[in-house]
Amino acid sequence: MATTLNYDDVEVGIELPAQVFPVRRDTLVRYAGASGDFNPIHWNERVAKSVGLPDVIAHGMLTMAEAARVVTDWIGDPGAIVEYGVRFTKPVVVPDDDRGAEIVVAGKVAEKLEGRRVRIDLTATSQGEKVLARSQMIVQLA
């Protein structure tokens, strides 16, 4: 599937539809199974606290993937991602209750580049704290 989003129709400053991604403990268990990352800080509160964390935390790659979904949902083609990088600034703490945590992601077209590519800057927060910094993605448009 190729993106149908046309480079000429995109302007710097366009905001991508923001999304909220719930993360509960069962989300972490499913992600651990899919990724093979069974580090106990992602499922065992005792271990997480013993290493100085406030509680169990979400996998960083899960947080990064949820942020990317804002872009891939917008362009409609995960294959259009040319480059993606983030810096993890805070963990997403996932309490053991029915609500868990939320990752709130917003994005904006920051720059139009040569070769029909655009740079998108993303913000990702959880509990009001920025969890990703320098979150940028380059995508290839039609």
Side-chain angles (χ1 to χ4, degrees):
M1 160 179 31
T3 184
T4 58
L5 193 58
N6 191 306
Y7 177 85
D8 297 326
D9 296 334
V10 173
E11 299 293 331
V12 171
I14 289 178
E15 294 188 14
L16 284 58
Q19 295 188 47
V20 177
F21 302 98
V23 182
R24 294 187 317 255
R25 295 281 177 100
D26 64 315
T27 308
L28 301 179
V29 171
R30 285 194 299 273
Y31 185 81
S35 69
D37 180 354
F38 293 100
N39 186 327
I41 63 171
H42 301 302
W43 55 270
N44 185 311
E45 183 176 334
R46 179 181 44 80
V47 172
K49 288 183 175 180
S50 75
V51 297
L53 295 168
D55 204 334
V56 166
I57 62 170
H59 304 73
M61 295 306 285
L62 172 62
T63 303
M64 192 176 171
E66 296 291 34
R69 282 179 50 189
V70 168
V71 178
T72 58
D73 286 355
W74 181 62
I75 60 177
D77 177 14
I81 297 172
V82 175
E83 184 179 316
Y84 181 35
V86 305
R87 201 174 104 216
F88 300 104
T89 56
K90 296 256 184 193
V92 174
V93 178
V94 183
D96 187 18
D97 58 24
D98 292 335
R99 292 185 15 211
E102 292 180 335
I103 302 169
V104 180
V105 183
K108 183 175 8 177
V109 175
E111 184 178 5
K112 292 182 86 169
L113 307 168
E114 291 184 19
R116 304 187 72 79
R117 294 177 175 185
V118 297
R119 187 188 92 218
I120 298 165
D121 291 349
L122 297 162
T123 60
T125 60
S126 183
Q127 299 177 354
E129 300 272 348
K130 195 175 205 178
V131 294
L132 299 178
R134 288 194 225 152
S135 182
Q136 298 181 337
M137 184 179 290
I138 307 294
V139 296
Q140 179 73 53
L141 300 182

